[in-house]
Every structure is written in C-alpha cells, then in structure tokens.
Amino acid sequence: MFSSKGKGSFLLMVSIILLLAGNRATAAEIQKISSIQHVYVDDEFIGSVSDESEIEKMVLAKIVEAEADYPEYTFDKEAQMTYVQENVFNAEIDDEETLKVLEEEFAVKAEAYEITIDNQVVAYVPSKEDAQEVLKEIHLLYIDEGELAEYEESQEAGVLNQPMALNEQGSRILSIEYSKPISWKETIMEPDKLMTVKDAISLIEKGKKEKVIYEATGDEELEAIADQYDMSLGQLLQLNSELEEGKRLHKGQKVRVTEVAPFVNVLVEREVLKETEIPFERKVIKDKNLLKEESVVEQEGQEGVQAFTYKLTETNGELLSETIVKKEITAATQNEITRKGTKIIPSEGSGTFAWPADGGYISSKQGHRWGKLHKGIDIARPTTRTITAADHGTVEFAGNAGGYGNKVTINHNNGYKTDYAHLESIDIEAGQKIEKGMPIGRMGSTGNSTGVHLHFEIYKNGVLANPLDYISQ
C-alpha cells in the first residue's frame, strides 16, 4: 500500500513515461493500476494473490488443526508467512493456483527455541524456560545438583571473588565452562521436530558420530577393529574402500573409523579439602619399679590431622589433573607413652622372712592355748591394716579356709610356706608370683577370731616352725 505522497510520485512517473512514448494517458487507464501480494514462506517465494484473505483462512484452519494435535505448543498466525505488496498495471493473478500450492506445501510452525552448540543446531524446544533447563541439565550430567545450586548462589553473591578457603572437608566448584559455545534463540519450527527437555538432554548426552583415524598397533583383524568402535564390518569397508574383507591390518597401517563424541564437554574446576590422619608413635619406657608383667599407660596417644587443599580439573566428570596447592597440620599428634616394668620377682624365696604387717605387736605367741596348740603368732594393733608377703614366692591358696577365715598360703619354693589368716580382704590370687613386701590383703577378723589381727604361720619342708625363729618384731 502506497502513501498518498508515494502514490502522487508514482502517477507522475507514469505520465512522463506515456508522454515519452508518444501516447496520451487517460484518467480511466490510470485507474487500471491494482495492488497484489507476493507470498513468501521461510523467505521462499510461493506465488502472488490479489486477495490474501483466503490464504489467511487456510492458515488459520491449519493452525486450529495443529493446536488440537499439539495443545502444549504456541502457534502464531503472523509468524507463518510474509507478504510483499506491489502495485501493477493489469494484474493477471491466479489466486487459486497460489492457494493450491500453499495447501500442499505449507506446514504450520510453532514457537520454538533453537539450541546451538558450536554453531550447529542440535535441538528445538517449545519455550525459553525449556532451553534454559536444557543448559542446566547438561551441567547436571556431570555435577551434583546441590553443588550446582551452591555454585550458582556463590556466583550471584560474588563469593568466589573473595579470598575464602574451605574450612572443613569437602569440595566446592570454582568454575564451570563449556568446551564449545552454546546458545539459544527464538524461532519457529514444525511441532513434530520439537523435543522435550528430557529428549534433548538424551540426544546431547548420546553425542554424535565423528570420523577419526585408527592406527594399528600390530597385526589386527578388521572385524576386531569394527567391534572396538561399535561398527559393522560393512560400515568399516564402506569408509575404507581400499580394504578387502578377510585381510588384516599391519602395524602402523591407518584406517578411518567412526566413534561417538560428545556434542560438548563440561569443564569443571574444583577446590577440595581433604584431611588425613597422622598416626601417633608408641613409645615404651622401661621402669625398674614395675614388675616385668606390668605396664602402665602414662599418656594416651592421639592422632594428628593434616589438611590438603587440592585444585582438580574435570572433563565430563572425569579427572584430568590434580594439584596440591596447600597442606598444613591442623591438629598435632600426641605420642602414646607406656611404662613397662623390668622388675623380675624371684620365684624362690630368700630364706629370710620380713615382718608381714605394718607395725603392730605380738598379741599371742605359738604354743598351747586354751587346751590346744596355737600354731602361729598373732599380730595386732598395726599402724595400718595392710598385710604383706614375708618372702618371694607363689600364691598357693587364696580364699576362705573355715576357722582361719580368709586365708593366703604362699609357697616360697625353697621348702618354706607361710600362712596369713583372718584377713578382711584378699588382694592377690592363686598362681600369682609374689615379691617380698608386696601387699596381699587387709587385716581383719574373719573365721574363728578374737578380734582384728593377723594369724601368721611358717612351715619348713611341711613341718610347722616357730615364726619367732625366723622373724623379729
């Protein structure tokens, strides 16, 4: 459609042409000028019409049909085709023919977003949100969703630009990049070519087949090479016309094969903090004051902690490089210190006997008393009630012995034995080696006793002996 100014210029130009041709143009002839519409679909000329209303009806009908088949998509009537108007004389236009061509060739297209990787269109999705989700899901093929969310949050807050460091075991993403440029833009596309986010991701994850060169490392069967690259023998021969079925490749010979390569690689740089335990040392100190069988832990051992900070580079989830950028000891070790006895208790007594109580006096000697023999001596009124072994030996008995009450018998393995009776408690056990002066129990009044005291007996070669012949108060 011309503007009024443009129309006047056009008529003036026509008049000049007619005058130059030697003709006289009448007003009636000038009125024969008419407007037509040239119809284009995807920038391709389809035909011309004098009235586009029938085309609009046809397009609308096709859109209604498409909306019924694809209710989830958006179809815009204005985006389906374009018109270019022209004013011509004596137009001879076949509207029906143009409409017929459109009926056969015109395909309704839906609003779509085209996803491009390295200038190659790989998928179409219905919406901008879907395109954004596809880009996110590419990340999630190789990155944990929680990690990705944390990274995006830190990017928004600018946290990674600050000199912060991990203070506990774990990792964080420092950067995410694509190996090839990825973009998306708005377009229109046949609805049957649109993909769901899931299908688009599946296609991208599957990758594409690329031709590469394989070099034989030795004499190799063609079938084995084809299997290695998930090809049939026929496909391998088709790519390499110089090969013959049944022949073998020799070392160094090269052939063309196809392998699946990802559309794009996801490059991730991480910072990782890992802690390892530093084992503590076990130190043993010999102690002559402890028996050889005894050991005492003087200081508990405690493992130290060493922290390593790494920078990792990954491609599609596979580790490419690992570099230690920092290491420090965050907790020092504490060595275990054990005192181990070296003192050896002789299994045989010395033949001389020590006073078996802590002080005290002899309240009753050995001899006849109350019509019967008092076999030993009684020691009473001690400083403390601790009873000690009179000489080295082995505990032969430790327990209750009727009238003796709680009783201990020590065999000194040299023909002598000693008995300790009426004990309140016993601190050793049968079979135990005993050193002269070692505590064996507590003075008491168990059994047939007249009060708190120690009844002490000595035997030599099984014969009762008088303790006063061997010990003195």
Side-chain angles (χ1 to χ4, degrees):
M1 185 70 69
F2 291 109
S3 65
S4 58
K5 182 178 179 180
K7 186 174 182 180
S9 299
F10 177 78
L11 292 175
L12 177 60
M13 181 179 69
V14 172
S15 299
I16 293 172
I17 293 172
L18 291 176
L19 287 172
L20 292 174
N23 296 320
R24 292 183 179 180
T26 65
E29 289 173 327
I30 293 174
Q31 292 296 325
K32 292 179 181 178
I33 296 173
S34 58
S35 295
I36 63 172
Q37 300 287 346
H38 300 300
V39 183
Y40 290 81
V41 175
D42 294 335
D43 296 328
E44 180 182 350
F45 177 69
I46 301 299
S48 302
V49 295
S50 59
D51 181 7
E52 65 268 28
S53 61
E54 291 300 317
I55 293 178
E56 297 295 330
K57 290 179 183 177
M58 181 271 294
V59 171
L60 184 59
K62 284 182 175 286
I63 288 177
V64 170
E65 182 180 353
E67 287 177 336
D69 293 335
Y70 303 95
E72 68 277 20
Y73 297 160
T74 300
F75 298 88
D76 184 356
K77 183 183 71 174
E78 303 298 327
Q80 305 303 313
M81 62 182 62
T82 56
Y83 300 98
V84 177
Q85 180 179 303
E86 183 181 3
N87 292 324
V88 298
F89 291 105
N90 300 319
E92 295 183 1
I93 303 299
D94 191 343
D95 287 31
E96 290 186 2
E97 179 63 24
T98 300
L99 187 61
K100 181 180 177 182
V101 172
L102 282 172
E103 281 279 7
E104 294 175 353
E105 299 184 5
F106 177 72
V108 175
K109 295 183 179 181
E111 291 183 3
Y113 281 77
E114 171 187 289
I115 299 174
T116 302
I117 299 178
D118 197 23
N119 299 317
Q120 177 185 355
V121 177
V122 295
Y124 296 93
V125 291
S127 69
K128 177 181 177 181
E129 291 74 22
D130 287 337
Q132 293 172 329
E133 184 67 17
V134 168
L135 266 62
K136 178 180 178 181
E137 290 293 330
I138 293 175
H139 285 156
L140 293 177
L141 291 173
Y142 312 108
I143 301 172
D144 179 79
E145 189 169 4
E147 277 190 310
L148 181 60
E150 184 178 327
Y151 170 74
E152 291 174 343
E153 183 180 343
S154 67
Q155 287 292 96
E156 292 176 5
V159 171
L160 293 181
N161 295 324
Q162 301 177 15
M164 295 181 63
L166 292 171
N167 54 16
E168 60 181 22
Q169 286 200 91
S171 69
R172 66 172 178 175
I173 296 174
L174 298 179
S175 67
I176 304 174
E177 295 180 1
Y178 293 115
S179 61
K180 300 174 182 177
I182 299 181
S183 61
W184 47 264
K185 67 177 182 179
E186 189 174 5
T187 184
I188 55 174
M189 182 52 58
E190 290 89 344
D192 60 352
K193 292 184 179 179
L194 268 61
M195 293 183 172
T196 63
V197 170
K198 182 178 179 180
D199 290 341
I201 288 297
S202 178
L203 173 67
I204 293 171
E205 183 180 12
K206 185 178 179 181
K208 58 183 177 180
K209 286 193 173 182
E210 292 183 346
K211 293 178 183 178
V212 295
I213 301 298
Y214 174 77
E215 183 176 343
T217 57
D219 288 348
E220 299 182 39
E221 299 284 349
L222 295 181
E223 291 86 348
I225 297 172
D227 289 342
Q228 182 178 341
Y229 287 90
D230 197 24
M231 300 171 64
S232 67
L233 179 59
Q235 290 171 328
L236 182 63
L237 295 174
Q238 189 175 2
L239 276 179
N240 302 272
S241 57
E242 72 279 9
L243 299 179
E244 295 182 22
E245 187 174 351
K247 298 289 185 179
R248 297 163 64 92
L249 287 188
H250 302 297
K251 183 177 181 180
Q253 191 172 351
K254 297 178 180 179
V255 292
R256 289 175 292 278
V257 295
T258 59
E259 66 178 3
V260 175
F263 280 100
V264 64
N265 295 319
V266 179
L267 311 176
V268 177
E269 186 180 45
R270 297 177 185 272
E271 182 181 55
V272 178
L273 177 64
K274 184 178 180 181
E275 294 180 340
T276 59
E277 292 181 342
I278 306 173
F280 59 83
E281 293 183 23
R282 290 178 168 84
K283 293 187 175 182
V284 177
I285 300 175
K286 294 181 179 180
D287 192 330
K288 64 181 182 180
N289 295 315
L290 294 176
L291 296 176
K292 190 173 183 179
E293 297 82 6
E294 290 182 316
S295 63
V296 177
V297 177
E298 185 174 279
Q299 178 175 281
E300 295 287 347
Q302 183 174 324
E303 293 175 330
V305 177
Q306 186 166 29
F308 295 86
T309 302
Y310 298 85
K311 285 288 180 62
L312 307 183
T313 302
E314 300 173 351
T315 297
N316 294 350
E318 294 186 3
L319 182 65
L320 281 187
S321 65
E322 178 180 273
T323 306
I324 297 176
V325 295
K326 182 181 179 182
K327 60 180 179 180
E328 62 178 335
I329 295 176
T330 56
T333 57
Q334 177 174 286
N335 293 331
E336 179 185 271
I337 299 176
T338 301
R339 292 192 173 276
K340 190 169 184 180
T342 59
K343 189 176 185 180
I344 298 176
I345 300 176
S347 59
E348 184 176 318
S350 63
T352 61
F353 297 92
W355 187 256
D358 183 11
Y361 77 104
I362 297 175
S363 60
S364 181
K365 295 180 181 181
Q366 186 184 68
H368 287 277
R369 186 182 67 176
W370 304 325
K372 63 180 181 178
L373 179 64
H374 183 235
K375 295 181 179 181
I377 62 172
D378 291 341
I379 301 172
R381 222 160 53 200
T383 303
T384 66
R385 294 170 70 179
T386 300
I387 304 301
T388 55
D391 200 358
H392 312 306
T394 305
V395 178
E396 189 174 276
F397 176 83
N400 189 274
Y404 280 94
N406 292 327
K407 174 186 172 185
V408 170
T409 298
I410 298 176
N411 187 341
H412 301 286
N413 301 309
N414 58 1
Y416 289 98
K417 290 184 182 181
T418 52
D419 286 340
Y420 309 79
H422 305 311
L423 275 62
E424 179 183 86
S425 60
I426 298 173
D427 297 335
I428 42 80
E429 58 186 19
Q432 183 177 343
K433 282 187 177 182
I434 297 298
E435 184 182 18
K436 180 187 286 190
M438 179 183 292
I440 62 173
R442 182 177 172 83
M443 188 182 292
S445 183
T446 57
N448 298 329
S449 171
T450 56
V452 175
H453 69 282
L454 168 66
H455 178 80
F456 179 66
E457 297 178 1
I458 294 180
Y459 290 84
K460 181 178 181 180
N461 297 323
V463 178
L464 182 66
N466 188 347
L468 293 182
D469 293 338
Y470 297 91
I471 62 173
S472 60
Q473 187 175 359

